[in-house]
């Protein structure tokens, strides 16, 4: 068993490409820790540096209290599972799982017994004499996981092991993987871009963007109390509503969130008010998850400053619920355009709108009449508010709706994308 500490770790490739920037992270002994983020955010690079497959440019890696920067992969006692399993094609399932024990010189009878026992736990005991090419994708991944687990490593590393499988199999295997690694007590670092995998499997998790840590905590902490607007948006399905606003402190009324054509009001006795008032007169980003919005029946009373209204533009049926999109006339925000690290050689995007981009791609004039957006409003985003409705109880397209906002669950971010109110960890 082991714990992992990354202390100010950087990875810079030849040519100056920075993959990982000043990562400070502790992974506790026996923990199932997930590295989550979009493609190219540096999560697999961190995994490979822990394994010793990538050199660390600067900073220190500690494994179980000892500096490991110069240790060879063999001396780190780690086992790794890749996206495609990487089984030996000429060996059977049994042969693949036996291989690490053969290298260690274990007794063959004892090794065979361990293979059979683990194969049964993985549900592949009836196919241990088959070659990898005769197995399904899920069966191959089970065999690869078995080969990694059987040597009882001190650290288990998994690099998107389920990404090539279909949705049903991913659901089944993520439950099995989580149960297996927890029962073994082995410290596990799991890389994925899938927020559902991360939320359902992790003891704790880290969200990365452009090689930088955005947030670290339990899945519940990061979902309910995200540190940045990027984290709030990345861990959100259906997507969180991100709205532009200006924050005003109004004596006798409270904190006013001026959304342009509409307003919300947070009372002075709200525990967040003392932090929010520091942004008086500033532009902020208001985060409202779809499940914090509730349609109000016609004629029903609602407290002033708690309602947003609009016209239903689109509906999506999801079986157990409907998702509705209401045009509210409030400028929206694209989380990918807020905060983060700007590449030095990255040109400013032309604010020509979607029509202009299409015309440019088709070789026509990119000059269009639509105005350039202001602030962080995505020029490809409509001013829709997404909300959830229980199945069988929905408005129709074109209907006017009034939506009550649960103000206690509203998230507020500064223009730099960081939370305005303190984040509890």
């Amino acid at each position: 068993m082991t714990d992992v500490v990354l202390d100010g770790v950087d990875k810079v490739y030849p040519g100056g490409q920075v993959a990982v920037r000043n990562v400070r992270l502790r992974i506790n002994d026996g923990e199932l820790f997930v590295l989550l983020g979009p493609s190219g955010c540096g999560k697999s690079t961190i995994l490979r540096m822990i394994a010793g497959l990538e050199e660390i440019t600067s900073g220190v890696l500690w494994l179980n209290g000892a500096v490991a920067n110069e240790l060879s992969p063999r001396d780190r006692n780690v086992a790794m599972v890749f996206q495609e399993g990487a089984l030996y094609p000429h060996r059977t399932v049994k042969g693949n799982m036996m291989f690490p024990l053969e290298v260690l010189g274990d007794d063959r009878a004892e090794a065979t017994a361990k293979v059979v026992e683990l194969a049964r736990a993985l549900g592949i005991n009836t196919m241990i004499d088959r070659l990898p090419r005769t197995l399904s994708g899920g069966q191959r991944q089970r065999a690869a996981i078995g080969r990694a687990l059987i040597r009882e490593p001190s650290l288990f590393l998994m690099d998107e092991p389920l990404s090539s499988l279909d949705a049903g199999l991913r659901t089944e295997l993520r439950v099995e993987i989580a149960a297996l690694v927890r029962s073994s007590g082995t410290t596990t670092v799991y890389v994925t871009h899938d927020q559902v995998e991360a939320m359902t499997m992790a003891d704790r998790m880290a969200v990365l963007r452009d090689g930088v840590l955005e947030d670290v905590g339990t899945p519940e902490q990061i979902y309910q109390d995200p540190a940045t607007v990027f984290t709030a948006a990345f861990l959100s399905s259906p997507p969180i509503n991100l709205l532009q606003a200006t924050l005003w402190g109004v004596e006798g009324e409270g904190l006013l969130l001026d959304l342009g054509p509409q307003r919300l009001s947070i009372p002075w006795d709200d525990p967040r008010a003392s932090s929010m008032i520091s942004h008086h007169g500033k532009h902020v980003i208001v985060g409202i998850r779809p499940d914090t919005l509730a349609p109000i029946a016609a004629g029903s009373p609602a407290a002033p400053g708690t309602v947003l209204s609009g016209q239903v533009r689109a509906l999506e049926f999801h079986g157990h619920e409907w998702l509705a999109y209401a045009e509210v006339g409030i400028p929206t925000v694209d989380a990918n355009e807020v905060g983060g690290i700007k590449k030095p050689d990255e040109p400013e995007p032309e604010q020509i709108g979607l029509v202009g981009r299409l015309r440019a791609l088709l070789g026509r004039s990119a000059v269009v009449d639509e105005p350039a957006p202001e602030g962080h409003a995505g020029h490809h985003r409509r001013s829709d508010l997404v909300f959830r409705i229980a199945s069988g109880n929905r408005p129709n397209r074109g209907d006017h709706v009034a939506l009550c906002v649960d103000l206690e669950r509203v998230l507020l971010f500064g223009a730099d994308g960081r939370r305005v109110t303190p984040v509890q960890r």
Side-chain angles (χ1 to χ4, degrees):
M1 308 304 170
T2 190
D3 56 4
V4 181
V5 177
L6 292 94
D7 187 5
V9 168
D10 295 315
K11 177 61 182 181
V12 183
Y13 288 105
Q17 179 189 354
V18 181
V20 174
R21 305 168 188 263
N22 193 32
V23 168
R24 299 181 183 277
L25 185 64
R26 182 184 186 92
I27 300 166
N28 299 317
D29 183 17
E31 193 169 42
L32 200 170
F33 193 93
V34 175
L35 297 174
L36 174 69
S39 178
C41 70
K43 55 189 184 296
S44 291
T45 301
I46 291 174
L47 200 75
R48 292 172 65 84
M49 286 192 290
I50 295 172
L53 303 177
E54 293 273 8
E55 290 186 1
I56 295 172
T57 304
S58 61
V60 181
L61 170 68
W62 300 77
L63 295 179
N64 210 26
V67 175
N69 291 47
E70 303 302 324
L71 284 180
S72 69
R74 181 185 184 92
D75 294 331
R76 299 187 188 203
N77 192 25
V78 302
M80 196 163 181
V81 176
F82 299 92
Q83 181 176 337
E84 299 298 336
L87 297 172
Y88 298 114
H90 61 287
R91 284 178 170 261
T92 62
V93 170
K94 179 181 176 181
N96 270 280
M97 293 176 65
M98 284 276 286
F99 182 74
L101 302 180
E102 292 172 357
V103 172
L104 293 172
D106 286 11
D107 178 79
R108 187 167 185 82
E110 292 180 2
T112 299
K114 287 178 69 175
V115 167
V116 171
E117 181 182 356
L118 184 54
R120 185 177 293 109
L122 288 164
I124 53 174
N125 55 302
T126 60
M127 54 198 73
I128 59 174
D129 294 321
R130 289 168 56 180
L131 292 171
R133 67 174 180 269
T134 68
L135 305 176
S136 68
Q139 291 164 347
R140 285 195 295 271
Q141 284 301 81
R142 283 186 172 94
I145 292 166
R147 185 179 62 186
L149 278 174
I150 201 161
R151 52 175 289 206
E152 299 179 358
S154 59
L155 183 60
F156 195 24
L157 308 176
M158 308 187 78
D159 192 2
E160 304 207 50
L162 308 181
S163 61
S164 62
L165 305 179
D166 62 73
L169 194 52
R170 284 202 304 270
T171 301
E172 178 184 345
L173 278 184
R174 72 173 181 244
V175 173
E176 293 180 4
I177 289 171
L180 274 169
V181 297
R182 286 196 174 97
S183 65
S184 71
T186 305
T187 306
T188 302
V189 186
Y190 187 104
V191 162
T192 183
H193 64 273
D194 186 325
Q195 58 161 304
V196 175
E197 277 184 31
M199 297 281 283
T200 55
M201 294 179 69
D203 294 323
R204 286 193 308 133
M205 58 193 288
V207 180
L208 290 113
R209 176 191 189 189
D210 296 331
V212 176
L213 281 179
E214 289 272 319
D215 209 345
V216 181
T218 66
E220 185 177 11
Q221 285 173 335
I222 293 181
Y223 182 84
Q224 301 288 0
D225 197 23
T228 69
V229 70
F230 176 83
T231 300
F234 199 79
L235 268 76
S236 187
S237 180
I240 188 172
N241 299 291
L242 298 173
L243 310 176
Q244 284 193 39
T246 304
L247 178 66
W248 302 100
V250 181
E251 188 175 353
E253 293 186 33
L255 293 160
L256 186 68
L257 294 172
D258 184 353
L259 299 159
Q262 306 194 53
R263 295 179 176 183
L264 294 172
S265 182
I266 296 173
W268 284 117
D269 59 1
D270 189 292
R272 300 166 296 174
S274 58
S275 301
M276 291 180 177
I277 193 59
S278 64
H279 280 65
H280 170 75
K282 296 181 180 179
H283 294 297
V284 293
I285 300 168
V286 182
I288 305 175
R289 295 198 186 276
D291 54 358
T292 66
L293 295 165
I296 304 172
S300 297
T306 64
V307 177
L308 297 175
S309 59
Q311 187 176 44
V312 177
R313 183 182 65 83
L315 292 162
E316 292 180 350
F317 182 57
H318 288 251
H320 63 292
E321 67 178 4
W322 287 82
L323 286 185
Y325 297 77
E327 175 68 40
V328 293
I330 301 171
T332 56
V333 176
D334 185 342
N336 292 311
E337 297 176 5
V338 182
I341 296 176
K342 190 181 186 312
K343 294 9 176 227
D345 57 347
E346 183 178 45
E348 291 292 337
E350 291 183 285
Q351 305 293 337
I352 60 174
L354 181 58
V355 174
R357 289 176 180 235
L358 290 173
R359 288 182 180 175
L361 288 170
L362 293 171
R364 302 174 187 172
S365 170
V367 179
V368 292
D369 295 330
E370 58 181 315
E374 298 177 358
H376 295 297
H379 45 267
H380 60 289
R381 296 168 65 89
R382 300 179 65 106
S383 54
D384 286 338
L385 206 60
V386 185
F387 62 100
R388 309 172 94 147
I389 311 167
S391 184
N393 182 26
R394 64 173 179 85
N396 296 312
R397 293 176 181 85
D399 285 356
H400 182 84
V401 290
L403 302 167
C404 185
V405 183
D406 184 351
L407 293 176
E408 292 185 358
R409 296 174 61 195
V410 165
L411 302 168
L412 208 63
F413 305 90
D416 62 354
R418 308 296 301 182
R419 273 285 292 283
V420 168
T421 52
V423 175
Q424 304 297 322
R425 291 286 183 272

